[in-house]
Amino acid sequence: MSTTNNIAQARKLVEQLRIEAGIERIKVKTTVFCHVCVSKAAADLMSYCEQHARSDPLLVGVPTSENPFKDKKPCIIL
Amino acid sequence: MAAEKAEMDALKKECDGLRAQIEAARKAVNDNTMSGAAGGVASVGRVQLKLRKTLKGHLAKIYAMHWSADSRQMVSASQDGKLLVWDCFTGNKLVAVPLKSAWVMSVAFAPSGNLVASGGLDNICTVYNIKAASPKTLRELDAHTGYLSCCRFLSDSEIITASGDTTCCLWDLETGKQKIMFTNHIGDCMSLALSPDMNTFISGACDSLAKLWDVRDGACKQTFSGHTSDINAIAFFPSGNAVITGSDDCSCKMYDLRSDQEVIGYQDTSLNAGVTSLALSSSGRLIFAGYDDFNCHIWDSLKGEKVGVLSGHDNRVSCTGVPDDGMGVCTGSWDSFLKLWN
C-alpha cells in the first residue's frame, strides 16, 4: 500500500519538476525555460529603481505642507 | 514488488536529472550578483524617517494590517478580537468589526474599499461588507484544514488565501466556494503576495521555499530555495520581475523571476531576530522589514546594505505596509500600536 503512495508522490514530483524545468508535456516540442542573465535582470531592476526614484516619497522626502500623515497642530497666536 | 521498485528508481532518477537541469540552467545565466551589478549605483545615504502618528485603539497584540487602495484608509487586526479601519490622515477610527474568533492572523482590504477579510486559527476566511450601516458578514470561506495565515482580494468577487494546511486557495465570493487549490508546499503557508498584473502570486512557507503560482491554472511555475527556516513574509518588487522574502533565519532575500534564482541576500551579523513582515517603497529601492527585535530595519534593495531603522515599538513588529502612493510606512506591533512613518 505505502509503495503505491510513494510512487504516486514521486510521479507528482516529477510532473512538478518538469513544469519548473520548462518542459511542457502538452506542447509538441519541448521548450526549455528561457532564462535571462542575472546581469540583465539586475540591470533591469536597477533601471526600474532609477526611473521611479524621483517619485518615491520615502526616498526624496515629503514636504511638511504636503505630508498627509503629519499631525496638524492648531496655530498658537503669541 | 520488483516492478514497483524499478519504477521508483526510474522516477527518482528522473527527479535527480530534472533538478540538475534546473540548477544548470540557473548557473548558466549566473554571470553576476545584484550587489556586484549595483556597485556603481549611488548610495541612498542614511534613511531617517520620522514617526508621524501612533494609532492607539487595540487592546492586545496586533497581528496584521493592510492599506486600502486609496492610500488613506487602513485596516488592522488584533487578538483583542477586532478589526479596526482607520483614516490615517486624521488618525480616527472609522469602523470596528467584532470578530467571531479573536485568534486572527491576517487581514485584507479589497481594492474597491467595500470589503475586508480576516482569518486565523478558526481556519476560516470571513469577508465583511464595511460599507453597510454596520459591518455585515458577507461570506465565511470554510474549507481549509489549517489556520488562515494570509489573504488577498483580487476583486470584490475573488480572494486568495494561504493556510497552515500547506495549501493556498482561490475562492469565488459570489458562491463562497473554492475555485482553485494551489498545492505543492510541504510546510504551512505563511504569506502570499499578488503580482502587479494579478496573473500570478507568490507564497512563502515553513518549508523555507517561495513558490510562484499561475492564478488561473493553479500550476506552480517556479520554486525558490535558499532560506534555512520558515518564510514569514513575501512581496513583489514593483516591476513584477522579482520577489523579496523575509524569514525566521533572520535574513531577507531577493529572487529574480526571469533568471530563476536568488540575486541578493539581506543579512547582518548583528541582526539575530527573525523577519516577521516586509514592504517595499514605491520605487522598490527600499525594503522595510519588521523583525522580532522590536524594530523595522530599512534595507537598500540594490546594494544589500542596511540604511536605516524605525524604532519605537515596545514589542515585536508583526506587520508592515506601504500604501500604493508610497507616502509612508505603517508598522504594527505586539505592543498593540500602529505607527505611521515618513
PDB file of all heavy atoms in Angstrom, chain A residues 11 16 18-20 35-36 38-39 41 44 46 48 56-57 67-69 71, chain B residues 7 14 29 31-32 52-53 89 220 223 256 258-260 281-283 326 342:
ATOM      1  N   ARG A  11       5.633  10.422  -8.780  1.00  0.00           N
ATOM      2  CA  ARG A  11       5.132  10.845 -10.107  1.00  0.00           C
ATOM      3  C   ARG A  11       4.749  12.323 -10.070  1.00  0.00           C
ATOM      4  O   ARG A  11       5.030  13.071 -11.001  1.00  0.00           O
ATOM      5  CB  ARG A  11       3.916  10.015 -10.503  1.00  0.00           C
ATOM      6  CG  ARG A  11       4.271   8.644 -11.042  1.00  0.00           C
ATOM      7  CD  ARG A  11       3.081   7.995 -11.762  1.00  0.00           C
ATOM      8  NE  ARG A  11       3.337   6.572 -11.968  1.00  0.00           N
ATOM      9  CZ  ARG A  11       2.509   5.597 -11.612  1.00  0.00           C
ATOM     10  NH1 ARG A  11       1.369   5.895 -11.008  1.00  0.00           N
ATOM     11  NH2 ARG A  11       2.817   4.341 -11.844  1.00  0.00           N
ATOM     12  N   GLN A  16       5.894  18.090 -11.374  1.00  0.00           N
ATOM     13  CA  GLN A  16       6.168  19.445 -10.915  1.00  0.00           C
ATOM     14  C   GLN A  16       7.533  19.921 -11.399  1.00  0.00           C
ATOM     15  O   GLN A  16       7.691  21.031 -11.885  1.00  0.00           O
ATOM     16  CB  GLN A  16       6.082  19.516  -9.389  1.00  0.00           C
ATOM     17  CG  GLN A  16       6.419  20.887  -8.800  1.00  0.00           C
ATOM     18  CD  GLN A  16       5.596  22.015  -9.377  1.00  0.00           C
ATOM     19  OE1 GLN A  16       4.428  21.849  -9.718  1.00  0.00           O
ATOM     20  NE2 GLN A  16       6.211  23.185  -9.525  1.00  0.00           N
ATOM     21  N   ARG A  18       9.110  18.888 -13.947  1.00  0.00           N
ATOM     22  CA  ARG A  18       9.043  19.101 -15.409  1.00  0.00           C
ATOM     23  C   ARG A  18       8.546  20.509 -15.696  1.00  0.00           C
ATOM     24  O   ARG A  18       9.065  21.196 -16.572  1.00  0.00           O
ATOM     25  CB  ARG A  18       8.113  18.084 -16.057  1.00  0.00           C
ATOM     26  CG  ARG A  18       8.740  16.735 -16.277  1.00  0.00           C
ATOM     27  CD  ARG A  18       7.950  15.931 -17.301  1.00  0.00           C
ATOM     28  NE  ARG A  18       8.619  14.663 -17.572  1.00  0.00           N
ATOM     29  CZ  ARG A  18       8.028  13.487 -17.565  1.00  0.00           C
ATOM     30  NH1 ARG A  18       6.736  13.398 -17.312  1.00  0.00           N
ATOM     31  NH2 ARG A  18       8.728  12.393 -17.840  1.00  0.00           N
ATOM     32  N   ILE A  19       7.510  20.947 -14.938  1.00  0.00           N
ATOM     33  CA  ILE A  19       6.975  22.297 -15.139  1.00  0.00           C
ATOM     34  C   ILE A  19       8.071  23.317 -14.859  1.00  0.00           C
ATOM     35  O   ILE A  19       8.296  24.242 -15.638  1.00  0.00           O
ATOM     36  CB  ILE A  19       5.766  22.570 -14.213  1.00  0.00           C
ATOM     37  CG1 ILE A  19       4.573  21.700 -14.617  1.00  0.00           C
ATOM     38  CG2 ILE A  19       5.371  24.046 -14.263  1.00  0.00           C
ATOM     39  CD1 ILE A  19       3.400  21.786 -13.651  1.00  0.00           C
ATOM     40  N   GLU A  20       8.764  23.135 -13.735  1.00  0.00           N
ATOM     41  CA  GLU A  20       9.770  24.116 -13.347  1.00  0.00           C
ATOM     42  C   GLU A  20      10.964  24.124 -14.272  1.00  0.00           C
ATOM     43  O   GLU A  20      11.625  25.135 -14.444  1.00  0.00           O
ATOM     44  CB  GLU A  20      10.198  23.875 -11.898  1.00  0.00           C
ATOM     45  CG  GLU A  20       9.060  24.214 -10.935  1.00  0.00           C
ATOM     46  CD  GLU A  20       9.453  24.065  -9.484  1.00  0.00           C
ATOM     47  OE1 GLU A  20      10.661  24.095  -9.197  1.00  0.00           O
ATOM     48  OE2 GLU A  20       8.552  23.911  -8.640  1.00  0.00           O
ATOM     49  N   HIS A  35      15.916  31.516 -19.661  1.00  0.00           N
ATOM     50  CA  HIS A  35      16.356  32.359 -18.565  1.00  0.00           C
ATOM     51  C   HIS A  35      16.972  33.645 -19.089  1.00  0.00           C
ATOM     52  O   HIS A  35      17.553  33.679 -20.161  1.00  0.00           O
ATOM     53  CB  HIS A  35      17.429  31.627 -17.745  1.00  0.00           C
ATOM     54  CG  HIS A  35      16.892  30.515 -16.913  1.00  0.00           C
ATOM     55  ND1 HIS A  35      16.170  29.483 -17.437  1.00  0.00           N
ATOM     56  CD2 HIS A  35      16.978  30.279 -15.587  1.00  0.00           C
ATOM     57  CE1 HIS A  35      15.846  28.648 -16.462  1.00  0.00           C
ATOM     58  NE2 HIS A  35      16.318  29.107 -15.334  1.00  0.00           N
ATOM     59  N   VAL A  36      16.834  34.666 -18.288  1.00  0.00           N
ATOM     60  CA  VAL A  36      17.506  35.928 -18.567  1.00  0.00           C
ATOM     61  C   VAL A  36      18.765  35.946 -17.701  1.00  0.00           C
ATOM     62  O   VAL A  36      18.739  35.480 -16.564  1.00  0.00           O
ATOM     63  CB  VAL A  36      16.558  37.095 -18.189  1.00  0.00           C
ATOM     64  CG1 VAL A  36      17.295  38.400 -18.076  1.00  0.00           C
ATOM     65  CG2 VAL A  36      15.428  37.186 -19.197  1.00  0.00           C
ATOM     66  N   VAL A  38      21.545  37.009 -15.124  1.00  0.00           N
ATOM     67  CA  VAL A  38      21.449  37.781 -13.893  1.00  0.00           C
ATOM     68  C   VAL A  38      21.899  39.215 -14.142  1.00  0.00           C
ATOM     69  O   VAL A  38      21.311  40.161 -13.621  1.00  0.00           O
ATOM     70  CB  VAL A  38      22.283  37.135 -12.759  1.00  0.00           C
ATOM     71  CG1 VAL A  38      22.374  38.078 -11.568  1.00  0.00           C
ATOM     72  CG2 VAL A  38      21.663  35.819 -12.333  1.00  0.00           C
ATOM     73  N   SER A  39      22.917  39.389 -14.991  1.00  0.00           N
ATOM     74  CA  SER A  39      23.405  40.755 -15.218  1.00  0.00           C
ATOM     75  C   SER A  39      22.329  41.604 -15.880  1.00  0.00           C
ATOM     76  O   SER A  39      22.139  42.776 -15.531  1.00  0.00           O
ATOM     77  CB  SER A  39      24.682  40.747 -16.060  1.00  0.00           C
ATOM     78  OG  SER A  39      24.445  40.060 -17.265  1.00  0.00           O
ATOM     79  N   ALA A  41      19.012  40.943 -15.703  1.00  0.00           N
ATOM     80  CA  ALA A  41      17.932  41.054 -14.726  1.00  0.00           C
ATOM     81  C   ALA A  41      18.255  42.150 -13.719  1.00  0.00           C
ATOM     82  O   ALA A  41      17.407  42.977 -13.377  1.00  0.00           O
ATOM     83  CB  ALA A  41      17.735  39.714 -14.017  1.00  0.00           C
ATOM     84  N   ASP A  44      17.913  45.565 -15.233  1.00  0.00           N
ATOM     85  CA  ASP A  44      16.505  45.975 -15.346  1.00  0.00           C
ATOM     86  C   ASP A  44      15.953  46.441 -14.012  1.00  0.00           C
ATOM     87  O   ASP A  44      15.203  47.419 -13.941  1.00  0.00           O
ATOM     88  CB  ASP A  44      15.657  44.829 -15.903  1.00  0.00           C
ATOM     89  CG  ASP A  44      15.902  44.601 -17.383  1.00  0.00           C
ATOM     90  OD1 ASP A  44      16.601  45.429 -18.006  1.00  0.00           O
ATOM     91  OD2 ASP A  44      15.402  43.600 -17.924  1.00  0.00           O
ATOM     92  N   MET A  46      17.699  47.691 -11.518  1.00  0.00           N
ATOM     93  CA  MET A  46      18.348  48.973 -11.210  1.00  0.00           C
ATOM     94  C   MET A  46      17.699  50.098 -12.010  1.00  0.00           C
ATOM     95  O   MET A  46      17.467  51.192 -11.501  1.00  0.00           O
ATOM     96  CB  MET A  46      19.841  48.891 -11.559  1.00  0.00           C
ATOM     97  CG  MET A  46      20.657  48.162 -10.519  1.00  0.00           C
ATOM     98  SD  MET A  46      22.214  47.499 -11.148  1.00  0.00           S
ATOM     99  CE  MET A  46      22.912  48.911 -11.953  1.00  0.00           C
ATOM    100  N   TYR A  48      14.647  50.201 -13.156  1.00  0.00           N
ATOM    101  CA  TYR A  48      13.317  50.486 -12.606  1.00  0.00           C
ATOM    102  C   TYR A  48      13.438  51.409 -11.393  1.00  0.00           C
ATOM    103  O   TYR A  48      12.719  52.410 -11.281  1.00  0.00           O
ATOM    104  CB  TYR A  48      12.599  49.192 -12.210  1.00  0.00           C
ATOM    105  CG  TYR A  48      11.168  49.438 -11.790  1.00  0.00           C
ATOM    106  CD1 TYR A  48      10.123  49.304 -12.703  1.00  0.00           C
ATOM    107  CD2 TYR A  48      10.852  49.824 -10.481  1.00  0.00           C
ATOM    108  CE1 TYR A  48       8.806  49.553 -12.337  1.00  0.00           C
ATOM    109  CE2 TYR A  48       9.552  50.088 -10.113  1.00  0.00           C
ATOM    110  CZ  TYR A  48       8.531  49.950 -11.046  1.00  0.00           C
ATOM    111  OH  TYR A  48       7.234  50.221 -10.681  1.00  0.00           O
ATOM    112  N   ASP A  56       9.446  58.589  -5.598  1.00  0.00           N
ATOM    113  CA  ASP A  56       9.317  57.742  -4.405  1.00  0.00           C
ATOM    114  C   ASP A  56       9.403  58.636  -3.170  1.00  0.00           C
ATOM    115  O   ASP A  56      10.485  59.071  -2.774  1.00  0.00           O
ATOM    116  CB  ASP A  56      10.439  56.695  -4.394  1.00  0.00           C
ATOM    117  CG  ASP A  56      10.337  55.722  -3.230  1.00  0.00           C
ATOM    118  OD1 ASP A  56       9.646  56.034  -2.225  1.00  0.00           O
ATOM    119  OD2 ASP A  56      10.957  54.646  -3.312  1.00  0.00           O
ATOM    120  N   PRO A  57       8.255  58.922  -2.526  1.00  0.00           N
ATOM    121  CA  PRO A  57       8.238  59.866  -1.402  1.00  0.00           C
ATOM    122  C   PRO A  57       9.165  59.464  -0.257  1.00  0.00           C
ATOM    123  O   PRO A  57       9.685  60.323   0.448  1.00  0.00           O
ATOM    124  CB  PRO A  57       6.781  59.861  -0.932  1.00  0.00           C
ATOM    125  CG  PRO A  57       6.011  59.305  -2.065  1.00  0.00           C
ATOM    126  CD  PRO A  57       6.914  58.362  -2.786  1.00  0.00           C
ATOM    127  N   ASN A  67       2.414  66.750   3.699  1.00  0.00           N
ATOM    128  CA  ASN A  67       2.500  65.457   4.362  1.00  0.00           C
ATOM    129  C   ASN A  67       1.152  65.049   4.940  1.00  0.00           C
ATOM    130  O   ASN A  67       0.688  65.623   5.918  1.00  0.00           O
ATOM    131  CB  ASN A  67       3.564  65.519   5.472  1.00  0.00           C
ATOM    132  CG  ASN A  67       3.902  64.154   5.999  1.00  0.00           C
ATOM    133  OD1 ASN A  67       3.147  63.198   5.817  1.00  0.00           O
ATOM    134  ND2 ASN A  67       5.060  64.037   6.649  1.00  0.00           N
ATOM    135  N   PRO A  68       0.492  64.043   4.352  1.00  0.00           N
ATOM    136  CA  PRO A  68      -0.863  63.700   4.797  1.00  0.00           C
ATOM    137  C   PRO A  68      -0.908  63.092   6.189  1.00  0.00           C
ATOM    138  O   PRO A  68      -1.936  63.119   6.854  1.00  0.00           O
ATOM    139  CB  PRO A  68      -1.336  62.689   3.752  1.00  0.00           C
ATOM    140  CG  PRO A  68      -0.071  62.073   3.239  1.00  0.00           C
ATOM    141  CD  PRO A  68       0.980  63.129   3.307  1.00  0.00           C
ATOM    142  N   PHE A  69       0.233  62.541   6.656  1.00  0.00           N
ATOM    143  CA  PHE A  69       0.219  61.862   7.943  1.00  0.00           C
ATOM    144  C   PHE A  69       0.633  62.769   9.095  1.00  0.00           C
ATOM    145  O   PHE A  69       0.521  62.393  10.256  1.00  0.00           O
ATOM    146  CB  PHE A  69       1.132  60.630   7.909  1.00  0.00           C
ATOM    147  CG  PHE A  69       0.739  59.642   6.854  1.00  0.00           C
ATOM    148  CD1 PHE A  69       1.653  59.187   5.923  1.00  0.00           C
ATOM    149  CD2 PHE A  69      -0.564  59.174   6.767  1.00  0.00           C
ATOM    150  CE1 PHE A  69       1.286  58.287   4.933  1.00  0.00           C
ATOM    151  CE2 PHE A  69      -0.942  58.273   5.786  1.00  0.00           C
ATOM    152  CZ  PHE A  69      -0.014  57.834   4.866  1.00  0.00           C
ATOM    153  N   ASP A  71       0.603  65.358  11.935  1.00  0.00           N
ATOM    154  CA  ASP A  71      -0.439  65.912  12.794  1.00  0.00           C
ATOM    155  C   ASP A  71      -0.528  67.400  12.560  1.00  0.00           C
ATOM    156  O   ASP A  71       0.468  68.100  12.584  1.00  0.00           O
ATOM    157  CB  ASP A  71      -0.112  65.662  14.273  1.00  0.00           C
ATOM    158  CG  ASP A  71      -0.653  64.326  14.738  1.00  0.00           C
ATOM    159  OD1 ASP A  71      -1.650  63.876  14.144  1.00  0.00           O
ATOM    160  OD2 ASP A  71      -0.084  63.745  15.663  1.00  0.00           O
TER     161      ASP A  71
ATOM    162  N   GLU B   7      10.149   1.095 -10.920  1.00  0.00           N
ATOM    163  CA  GLU B   7       9.524   2.368 -11.290  1.00  0.00           C
ATOM    164  C   GLU B   7       9.995   3.482 -10.366  1.00  0.00           C
ATOM    165  O   GLU B   7      10.302   4.592 -10.810  1.00  0.00           O
ATOM    166  CB  GLU B   7       7.993   2.260 -11.249  1.00  0.00           C
ATOM    167  CG  GLU B   7       7.381   3.525 -11.851  1.00  0.00           C
ATOM    168  CD  GLU B   7       5.869   3.530 -11.875  1.00  0.00           C
ATOM    169  OE1 GLU B   7       5.247   2.518 -11.489  1.00  0.00           O
ATOM    170  OE2 GLU B   7       5.319   4.578 -12.282  1.00  0.00           O
ATOM    171  N   GLU B  14      14.754  10.327 -12.704  1.00  0.00           N
ATOM    172  CA  GLU B  14      14.232  11.447 -13.495  1.00  0.00           C
ATOM    173  C   GLU B  14      14.205  12.720 -12.662  1.00  0.00           C
ATOM    174  O   GLU B  14      14.567  13.796 -13.141  1.00  0.00           O
ATOM    175  CB  GLU B  14      12.838  11.117 -14.035  1.00  0.00           C
ATOM    176  CG  GLU B  14      12.434  12.109 -15.111  1.00  0.00           C
ATOM    177  CD  GLU B  14      11.137  11.756 -15.819  1.00  0.00           C
ATOM    178  OE1 GLU B  14      10.532  10.716 -15.492  1.00  0.00           O
ATOM    179  OE2 GLU B  14      10.731  12.553 -16.686  1.00  0.00           O
ATOM    180  N   VAL B  29      23.159  31.231 -16.390  1.00  0.00           N
ATOM    181  CA  VAL B  29      22.895  32.674 -16.519  1.00  0.00           C
ATOM    182  C   VAL B  29      23.435  33.455 -15.344  1.00  0.00           C
ATOM    183  O   VAL B  29      23.270  34.667 -15.260  1.00  0.00           O
ATOM    184  CB  VAL B  29      21.384  32.967 -16.693  1.00  0.00           C
ATOM    185  CG1 VAL B  29      20.874  32.348 -17.970  1.00  0.00           C
ATOM    186  CG2 VAL B  29      20.576  32.492 -15.503  1.00  0.00           C
ATOM    187  N   ASP B  31      25.813  35.240 -14.241  1.00  0.00           N
ATOM    188  CA  ASP B  31      27.042  35.916 -14.654  1.00  0.00           C
ATOM    189  C   ASP B  31      27.373  37.103 -13.762  1.00  0.00           C
ATOM    190  O   ASP B  31      28.310  37.845 -14.022  1.00  0.00           O
ATOM    191  CB  ASP B  31      26.929  36.359 -16.110  1.00  0.00           C
ATOM    192  CG  ASP B  31      25.719  37.281 -16.326  1.00  0.00           C
ATOM    193  OD1 ASP B  31      24.893  37.408 -15.406  1.00  0.00           O
ATOM    194  OD2 ASP B  31      25.611  37.865 -17.418  1.00  0.00           O
ATOM    195  N   ASN B  32      26.565  37.339 -12.720  1.00  0.00           N
ATOM    196  CA  ASN B  32      26.848  38.440 -11.806  1.00  0.00           C
ATOM    197  C   ASN B  32      25.941  38.314 -10.594  1.00  0.00           C
ATOM    198  O   ASN B  32      25.073  37.448 -10.551  1.00  0.00           O
ATOM    199  CB  ASN B  32      26.596  39.792 -12.497  1.00  0.00           C
ATOM    200  CG  ASN B  32      27.417  40.915 -11.878  1.00  0.00           C
ATOM    201  OD1 ASN B  32      27.939  40.785 -10.762  1.00  0.00           O
ATOM    202  ND2 ASN B  32      27.525  42.028 -12.581  1.00  0.00           N
ATOM    203  N   ARG B  52       5.135  59.868  12.580  1.00  0.00           N
ATOM    204  CA  ARG B  52       4.134  60.925  12.370  1.00  0.00           C
ATOM    205  C   ARG B  52       2.901  60.728  13.230  1.00  0.00           C
ATOM    206  O   ARG B  52       2.280  61.685  13.659  1.00  0.00           O
ATOM    207  CB  ARG B  52       3.717  60.970  10.893  1.00  0.00           C
ATOM    208  CG  ARG B  52       4.854  61.250   9.949  1.00  0.00           C
ATOM    209  CD  ARG B  52       5.451  62.606  10.161  1.00  0.00           C
ATOM    210  NE  ARG B  52       6.602  62.822   9.288  1.00  0.00           N
ATOM    211  CZ  ARG B  52       7.391  63.886   9.354  1.00  0.00           C
ATOM    212  NH1 ARG B  52       7.171  64.817  10.258  1.00  0.00           N
ATOM    213  NH2 ARG B  52       8.404  63.997   8.530  1.00  0.00           N
ATOM    214  N   LYS B  53       2.525  59.480  13.430  1.00  0.00           N
ATOM    215  CA  LYS B  53       1.320  59.197  14.225  1.00  0.00           C
ATOM    216  C   LYS B  53       1.484  57.849  14.915  1.00  0.00           C
ATOM    217  O   LYS B  53       2.086  56.930  14.367  1.00  0.00           O
ATOM    218  CB  LYS B  53       0.088  59.085  13.314  1.00  0.00           C
ATOM    219  CG  LYS B  53      -0.522  60.390  12.892  1.00  0.00           C
ATOM    220  CD  LYS B  53      -1.910  60.146  12.310  1.00  0.00           C
ATOM    221  CE  LYS B  53      -2.671  61.428  12.095  1.00  0.00           C
ATOM    222  NZ  LYS B  53      -1.960  62.402  11.263  1.00  0.00           N
ATOM    223  N   PHE B  89      -5.119  59.810   7.755  1.00  0.00           N
ATOM    224  CA  PHE B  89      -4.810  61.238   7.666  1.00  0.00           C
ATOM    225  C   PHE B  89      -5.182  61.931   8.977  1.00  0.00           C
ATOM    226  O   PHE B  89      -4.511  62.844   9.431  1.00  0.00           O
ATOM    227  CB  PHE B  89      -5.571  61.907   6.507  1.00  0.00           C
ATOM    228  CG  PHE B  89      -5.066  61.529   5.142  1.00  0.00           C
ATOM    229  CD1 PHE B  89      -4.094  60.551   4.962  1.00  0.00           C
ATOM    230  CD2 PHE B  89      -5.572  62.150   4.011  1.00  0.00           C
ATOM    231  CE1 PHE B  89      -3.635  60.201   3.694  1.00  0.00           C
ATOM    232  CE2 PHE B  89      -5.125  61.809   2.729  1.00  0.00           C
ATOM    233  CZ  PHE B  89      -4.159  60.835   2.583  1.00  0.00           C
ATOM    234  N   CYS B 220       2.145  25.536 -10.157  1.00  0.00           N
ATOM    235  CA  CYS B 220       3.301  26.139  -9.509  1.00  0.00           C
ATOM    236  C   CYS B 220       4.351  26.274 -10.597  1.00  0.00           C
ATOM    237  O   CYS B 220       4.845  25.281 -11.121  1.00  0.00           O
ATOM    238  CB  CYS B 220       3.813  25.257  -8.374  1.00  0.00           C
ATOM    239  SG  CYS B 220       5.436  25.752  -7.800  1.00  0.00           S
ATOM    240  N   THR B 223       9.988  27.541  -8.167  1.00  0.00           N
ATOM    241  CA  THR B 223      10.239  27.362  -6.742  1.00  0.00           C
ATOM    242  C   THR B 223      11.592  27.967  -6.414  1.00  0.00           C
ATOM    243  O   THR B 223      12.569  27.755  -7.140  1.00  0.00           O
ATOM    244  CB  THR B 223      10.241  25.868  -6.378  1.00  0.00           C
ATOM    245  OG1 THR B 223       8.947  25.336  -6.631  1.00  0.00           O
ATOM    246  CG2 THR B 223      10.580  25.666  -4.900  1.00  0.00           C
ATOM    247  N   ASP B 256      15.106  36.795  -8.468  1.00  0.00           N
ATOM    248  CA  ASP B 256      14.668  37.344  -9.743  1.00  0.00           C
ATOM    249  C   ASP B 256      13.903  36.254 -10.491  1.00  0.00           C
ATOM    250  O   ASP B 256      14.357  35.124 -10.594  1.00  0.00           O
ATOM    251  CB  ASP B 256      15.869  37.808 -10.562  1.00  0.00           C
ATOM    252  CG  ASP B 256      15.428  38.418 -11.874  1.00  0.00           C
ATOM    253  OD1 ASP B 256      15.098  39.607 -11.885  1.00  0.00           O
ATOM    254  OD2 ASP B 256      15.358  37.680 -12.885  1.00  0.00           O
ATOM    255  N   ARG B 258      12.991  36.087 -13.789  1.00  0.00           N
ATOM    256  CA  ARG B 258      13.385  35.707 -15.153  1.00  0.00           C
ATOM    257  C   ARG B 258      14.698  34.928 -15.184  1.00  0.00           C
ATOM    258  O   ARG B 258      14.932  34.160 -16.105  1.00  0.00           O
ATOM    259  CB  ARG B 258      13.453  36.944 -16.037  1.00  0.00           C
ATOM    260  CG  ARG B 258      12.086  37.597 -16.199  1.00  0.00           C
ATOM    261  CD  ARG B 258      12.153  38.844 -17.044  1.00  0.00           C
ATOM    262  NE  ARG B 258      13.115  39.806 -16.518  1.00  0.00           N
ATOM    263  CZ  ARG B 258      13.640  40.793 -17.233  1.00  0.00           C
ATOM    264  NH1 ARG B 258      13.313  40.947 -18.499  1.00  0.00           N
ATOM    265  NH2 ARG B 258      14.487  41.631 -16.687  1.00  0.00           N
ATOM    266  N   SER B 259      15.562  35.145 -14.180  1.00  0.00           N
ATOM    267  CA  SER B 259      16.785  34.345 -14.135  1.00  0.00           C
ATOM    268  C   SER B 259      16.626  33.176 -13.165  1.00  0.00           C
ATOM    269  O   SER B 259      17.538  32.372 -12.990  1.00  0.00           O
ATOM    270  CB  SER B 259      17.995  35.207 -13.767  1.00  0.00           C
ATOM    271  OG  SER B 259      17.732  35.935 -12.588  1.00  0.00           O
ATOM    272  N   ASP B 260      15.422  33.104 -12.551  1.00  0.00           N
ATOM    273  CA  ASP B 260      15.042  31.949 -11.739  1.00  0.00           C
ATOM    274  C   ASP B 260      15.989  31.675 -10.573  1.00  0.00           C
ATOM    275  O   ASP B 260      16.284  30.525 -10.249  1.00  0.00           O
ATOM    276  CB  ASP B 260      14.978  30.693 -12.656  1.00  0.00           C
ATOM    277  CG  ASP B 260      14.315  29.500 -11.997  1.00  0.00           C
ATOM    278  OD1 ASP B 260      13.345  29.699 -11.248  1.00  0.00           O
ATOM    279  OD2 ASP B 260      14.778  28.359 -12.215  1.00  0.00           O
ATOM    280  N   SER B 281       9.251  50.308  -0.750  1.00  0.00           N
ATOM    281  CA  SER B 281       8.874  51.668  -1.116  1.00  0.00           C
ATOM    282  C   SER B 281       8.433  51.633  -2.585  1.00  0.00           C
ATOM    283  O   SER B 281       8.672  50.654  -3.282  1.00  0.00           O
ATOM    284  CB  SER B 281      10.043  52.633  -0.913  1.00  0.00           C
ATOM    285  OG  SER B 281      11.034  52.416  -1.905  1.00  0.00           O
ATOM    286  N   SER B 282       7.813  52.713  -3.054  1.00  0.00           N
ATOM    287  CA  SER B 282       7.172  52.659  -4.385  1.00  0.00           C
ATOM    288  C   SER B 282       8.143  52.433  -5.540  1.00  0.00           C
ATOM    289  O   SER B 282       7.769  51.852  -6.550  1.00  0.00           O
ATOM    290  CB  SER B 282       6.339  53.927  -4.636  1.00  0.00           C
ATOM    291  OG  SER B 282       7.184  55.056  -4.578  1.00  0.00           O
ATOM    292  N   SER B 283       9.404  52.837  -5.392  1.00  0.00           N
ATOM    293  CA  SER B 283      10.371  52.606  -6.478  1.00  0.00           C
ATOM    294  C   SER B 283      11.015  51.229  -6.348  1.00  0.00           C
ATOM    295  O   SER B 283      11.730  50.782  -7.246  1.00  0.00           O
ATOM    296  CB  SER B 283      11.481  53.658  -6.427  1.00  0.00           C
ATOM    297  OG  SER B 283      12.258  53.479  -5.242  1.00  0.00           O
ATOM    298  N   GLY B 326       2.833  55.264  -1.915  1.00  0.00           N
ATOM    299  CA  GLY B 326       4.197  55.300  -1.374  1.00  0.00           C
ATOM    300  C   GLY B 326       4.485  56.386  -0.369  1.00  0.00           C
ATOM    301  O   GLY B 326       5.648  56.622  -0.031  1.00  0.00           O
ATOM    302  N   ASN B 342       7.160  58.702   7.894  1.00  0.00           N
ATOM    303  CA  ASN B 342       7.654  59.096   6.572  1.00  0.00           C
ATOM    304  C   ASN B 342       8.680  60.221   6.699  1.00  0.00           C
ATOM    305  O   ASN B 342       9.018  60.596   7.823  1.00  0.00           O
ATOM    306  CB  ASN B 342       6.538  59.470   5.601  1.00  0.00           C
ATOM    307  CG  ASN B 342       5.749  60.702   5.987  1.00  0.00           C
ATOM    308  OD1 ASN B 342       6.136  61.471   6.860  1.00  0.00           O
ATOM    309  ND2 ASN B 342       4.630  60.899   5.319  1.00  0.00           N
TER     310      ASN B 342
END
